[in-house]
Amino acid sequence: MLREHFEGISDPRQPWKVKHSLIEIIIMVICAVVAECEAWYQVEHYCRTKQTWFRKKLKLKLKNGIPSHDTFERIFSMINPKELEACFFSWVNAVNKQLGEIVSIDGKTLRGSKGIGNKAIHMVSAWANKSRLVLGQVKTDEKSNEVTAIPDLISLLELRGCIVTIDAMGCQKEIAKDIVKAEADYVFGLKGNQSSLHDDVKLYFETETVKAKTVTREKGHGRIETREYLLETEIDWLYQKPKWAGLKAIGAVKSGVWKNDILHEETRYFITSLTDVKKFAEAVRGHWGIENSLHWVLDVAFNEDNCRMRKDNCAENFAVIRHIALNLLKKDDAKMSIKSRRHRCAYDDDYLYNILFASNFKL
């Protein structure tokens, strides 16, 4: 159960000032965020309304009632984010095995966390495309620091047997080495940050014929899109190959989109430890999951970019709570959007209870 993994968080308060249980506060905030709350005053109002329900259904003692919104904010500004993130990893790893997963790693800026004198927080997250779950996250102060944050995230994940996909910013030799050490495969996007490697791969696909290929076609939203996936495993000619751990192939994706009788074409290039073109195609396609199913959902369903929590550790800790809420909501199979599920949780106690306890990710 979730509470078992979060009970070990160090209480940052002075013992003689403690009136409310820390684990009960965390549980109440999770429930409030699942049920559409996005600010501390909303959390307080929601929890006061549900006080009897908390005691009866969740077995919370609430010896001194519901904290004020100032108390909620003060405690979450003081909680050590590293500890909260470690508890999140422990919870996810205990109930979800990633074997065979396509794990996409990418960053997202919490725009609302930017204030006078402080920069916006940038969170680097890992997304499991098949399980449709957030596996973990680490904070960095700027997008340019993703390169230093990604190894920290990889070290916390159980990646054996997985395929890790990262865009061009994370295409680094040390990151490739870390993934191979974790007994996983990788697919890295190639752009200007690896200019000579990118130019050599680009030239090869422009001048040579590649046999290993697969094609997909999709029609919808007023357009027809064709993608041709190419993979070349005979790359002993590539002088950079020995410098990249596990590098076995180079890849390209040629996309053509017909819209309003106009053809838009694009070619993207990759390096990978995979040798099967179908697995390569699946991994490249899967990488969009972190944008569509995580980042887009956090913006649209959780209003993340407009969240103005900035005090000390609040923004980082609340981002972890949003990820917990999203994982709980994703495990429900109702034919509703995440936003609709949150709204229903706000007024339907039975549905909320089902979200909290019906799956392996139970509270």
Side-chain angles (χ1 to χ4, degrees):
M1 294 179 68
L2 183 146
R3 70 176 72 193
E4 294 171 356
H5 294 275
F6 285 77
E7 282 178 334
I9 293 178
S10 302
D11 196 328
R13 298 169 292 177
Q14 295 171 320
W16 57 89
K17 292 183 179 179
V18 173
K19 293 177 61 179
H20 306 279
S21 162
L22 181 60
I23 187 61
E24 289 188 353
I25 287 173
I26 292 172
I27 289 171
M28 285 190 287
V29 172
I30 292 171
C31 291
V33 173
V34 168
E36 227 175 10
C37 295
E38 296 165 357
W40 292 122
Y41 75 90
Q42 294 174 338
V43 171
E44 179 191 348
H45 293 168
Y46 174 83
C47 291
R48 291 195 184 282
T49 302
K50 300 296 182 182
Q51 189 169 175
T52 301
W53 189 82
F54 283 152
R55 286 194 172 104
K56 182 179 179 180
K57 299 295 288 187
L58 303 190
K59 310 301 181 185
L60 302 187
K61 295 179 181 178
L62 303 178
K63 291 182 179 179
N64 292 295
I66 301 298
S68 68
H69 63 275
D70 287 334
T71 299
F72 277 119
E73 180 182 40
R74 184 169 59 254
I75 291 172
F76 266 78
S77 71
M78 296 167 64
I79 289 175
N80 185 334
K82 298 297 184 185
E83 286 193 27
L84 191 65
E85 288 165 5
C87 291
F88 179 92
F89 279 105
S90 174
W91 171 58
V92 173
N93 289 332
V95 294
N96 184 66
K97 304 304 178 184
Q98 284 88 3
L99 189 64
E101 268 284 4
I102 296 172
V103 177
S104 301
I105 296 177
D106 197 12
K108 180 182 184 298
T109 301
L110 279 63
R111 303 187 187 282
S113 64
K114 183 178 181 180
I116 298 174
N118 63 287
K119 298 178 180 179
I121 287 174
H122 193 75
M123 298 292 289
V124 179
S125 303
W127 173 258
N129 284 276
K130 294 179 181 178
S131 301
R132 297 175 62 80
L133 296 168
V134 185
L135 300 179
Q137 61 285 302
V138 294
K139 172 204 165 190
T140 176
D141 289 324
E142 297 181 38
K143 181 176 175 61
S144 59
N145 290 339
E146 277 189 28
V147 172
T148 59
I150 290 173
D152 292 339
L153 182 57
I154 288 172
S155 69
L156 295 169
L157 297 170
E158 176 53 62
L159 294 173
R160 181 181 300 176
C162 296
I163 301 171
V164 180
T165 67
I166 308 176
D167 62 18
M169 182 169 285
C171 183
Q172 304 290 331
K173 299 179 184 69
E174 288 302 316
I175 293 176
K177 189 182 298 183
D178 290 341
I179 293 172
V180 171
K181 186 177 179 180
E183 300 182 41
D185 285 298
Y186 63 81
V187 176
F188 290 165
L190 270 181
K191 283 187 179 178
N193 62 325
Q194 299 289 345
S195 56
S196 62
L197 180 57
H198 172 270
D199 292 344
D200 288 346
V201 172
K202 181 174 183 288
L203 180 62
Y204 182 87
F205 283 108
E206 287 177 343
T207 57
E208 301 292 334
T209 300
V210 179
K211 295 180 180 180
K213 66 174 65 177
T214 186
V215 179
T216 63
R217 290 182 178 85
E218 297 177 2
K219 183 177 181 181
H221 305 289
R223 66 183 188 180
I224 300 174
E225 185 165 358
T226 301
R227 293 187 182 91
E228 184 179 34
Y229 299 87
L230 306 171
L231 193 69
E232 179 56 72
T233 57
E234 296 180 7
I235 57 169
D236 289 341
W237 54 268
L238 189 67
Y239 77 89
Q240 299 98 331
K241 181 185 175 184
K243 301 177 182 179
W244 291 85
L247 179 58
K248 295 178 182 177
I250 58 175
V253 180
K254 298 180 179 180
S255 304
V257 181
W258 281 98
K259 189 172 183 179
N260 299 325
D261 295 326
I262 299 174
L263 177 61
H264 303 272
E265 295 181 300
E266 178 189 21
T267 302
R268 293 173 288 140
Y269 301 99
F270 303 84
I271 60 172
T272 179
S273 62
L274 297 173
T275 57
D276 183 282
V277 68
K278 291 186 177 179
K279 285 186 177 180
F280 167 70
E282 183 184 10
V284 172
R285 286 287 287 157
H287 187 73
W288 290 105
I290 195 167
E291 291 290 344
N292 298 333
S293 299
L294 177 57
H295 295 165
W296 186 86
V297 170
L298 288 173
D299 280 340
V300 174
F302 286 84
N303 204 25
E304 184 174 70
D305 272 352
N306 291 321
C307 180
R308 294 295 182 265
M309 294 183 181
R310 298 166 180 162
K311 185 177 179 181
D312 299 325
N313 299 327
C314 270
E316 186 175 356
N317 285 331
F318 207 76
V320 176
I321 297 298
R322 274 192 292 264
H323 285 170
I324 293 171
L326 179 59
N327 278 356
L328 290 168
L329 290 160
K330 282 282 188 182
K331 298 310 289 184
D332 181 56
D333 58 3
K335 293 183 178 180
M336 293 186 290
S337 67
I338 296 297
K339 190 174 183 120
S340 296
R341 292 177 199 182
R342 291 187 77 202
H343 184 62
R344 183 173 174 183
C345 285
Y347 65 82
D348 187 339
D349 289 343
D350 290 337
Y351 182 68
L352 173 61
Y353 188 85
N354 184 64
I355 290 292
L356 297 176
F357 290 96
S359 71
N360 290 335
F361 282 82
K362 58 188 177 183
L363 190 66

